[in-house]
Amino acid sequence: MQKCNNLPRPLATAPFTLDSARASGVSPDRLRRKDVVHVGRGLYRPSDWSFELEGAARALSAASPGAWISHVTAARLRCQLLPPWLADSTELHLSKPVSLPSVRRKGVFGHTVFAQEDEIESVDGIRITTRSRTWLDLARRLSVSDLVCMGDQLIRVPRVDFEGRTQPYDTLDGLRSLVSRHPNLQGIVRAREALDLMRVGGGLRTRIAAPLGDGRCWPS
């Protein structure tokens, strides 16, 4: 009887790293079979895997020590407000500090940036920019009106019965402080313009955030 040699379930349902394969007892020869696709340095996925943003971001983060998920990818994972042309984006953005080599992965948008420790956090095992830093990173790409919409979402007072929190994600003063840290960042002038137009309670004028593909949002 031929011995069954299926991948362990966690590896058979989402992208995974070489380290996680080794930890699960999967040999290098097993990774060369047709049901496994080598995505890039230290990254693999099941051949029948259908793209799912969180799974892709999780594996990319695990395979990139010192780096973090950022920009549009971070905004999508956190269900931040994006314009319609980005609301369903499957782009993968990864940022690294200037002290590390630049990102060179096929299909990944790499960024080399200066970021302070409190602008990055770990959520559900994924290193990712804070909501406020994500807003700032997107200032180079979004219009002023789009930045106002995203910013209003950050500073509005939440409805505790529906959102399970009592404090806004940030304040106008907090965002101004963040902006002042990065005077040379691309898009900084646009971010300053947006700050002058943002107001608490402005969430009523914002568009609806698009959830992830399975209809849910990431942890708040």
Side-chain angles (χ1 to χ4, degrees):
M1 179 181 296
Q2 185 177 4
K3 184 179 179 180
C4 180
N5 193 16
N6 294 329
L7 288 171
R9 181 168 177 75
L11 308 186
T13 57
F16 57 91
T17 65
L18 178 60
D19 287 343
S20 62
R22 287 171 173 166
S24 298
V26 177
S27 69
D29 287 341
R30 179 64 184 84
L31 295 176
R32 298 188 186 99
R33 294 193 179 182
K34 292 183 179 180
D35 62 343
V36 177
V37 176
H38 183 212
V39 179
R41 186 176 65 260
L43 272 176
Y44 298 82
R45 67 169 177 83
S47 60
D48 60 353
W49 178 72
S50 296
F51 183 86
E52 184 264 322
L53 188 64
E54 182 177 343
R58 182 179 302 282
L60 181 61
S61 175
S64 309
W68 56 88
I69 301 299
S70 62
H71 295 76
V72 174
T73 314
R76 287 276 289 117
L77 288 174
R78 308 299 283 274
C79 290
Q80 290 182 254
L81 295 168
L82 289 169
W85 56 277
L86 280 177
D88 296 319
S89 172
T90 58
E91 295 176 4
L92 284 171
H93 288 258
L94 187 73
S95 289
K96 281 188 175 184
V98 294
S99 59
L100 293 180
S102 58
V103 178
R104 294 179 181 177
R105 285 187 179 276
K106 183 179 179 181
V108 174
F109 295 85
H111 307 269
T112 299
V113 301
F114 170 77
Q116 296 191 16
E117 289 185 8
D118 62 354
E119 296 167 15
I120 305 163
E121 57 190 349
S122 181
V123 179
D124 197 23
I126 300 178
R127 275 172 55 82
I128 188 171
T129 47
T130 62
R131 285 178 169 85
S132 298
R133 175 63 199 225
T134 300
W135 170 82
L136 182 60
D137 282 337
L138 289 173
R140 62 180 294 182
R141 189 171 185 185
L142 300 184
S143 68
V144 171
S145 61
D146 289 330
L147 286 171
V148 171
C149 286
M150 180 180 279
D152 280 349
Q153 182 191 28
L154 295 175
I155 64 173
R156 71 173 179 80
V157 178
R159 297 166 296 178
V160 64
D161 291 342
F162 297 98
E163 300 174 72
R165 59 187 178 94
T166 59
Q167 298 298 317
Y169 293 122
D170 209 332
T171 63
L172 275 172
D173 286 343
L175 290 175
R176 288 193 180 100
S177 177
L178 174 65
V179 166
S180 69
R181 294 178 177 179
H182 304 281
N184 299 317
L185 191 73
Q186 286 187 319
I188 198 68
V189 172
R190 203 173 298 162
R192 291 182 185 129
E193 292 178 12
L195 279 172
D196 290 338
L197 298 171
M198 288 161 51
R199 57 183 173 82
V200 177
L204 293 176
R205 67 188 172 195
T206 59
R207 60 180 64 87
I208 301 299
L212 300 179
D214 57 6
R216 61 188 175 77
C217 286
W218 229 36
S220 59

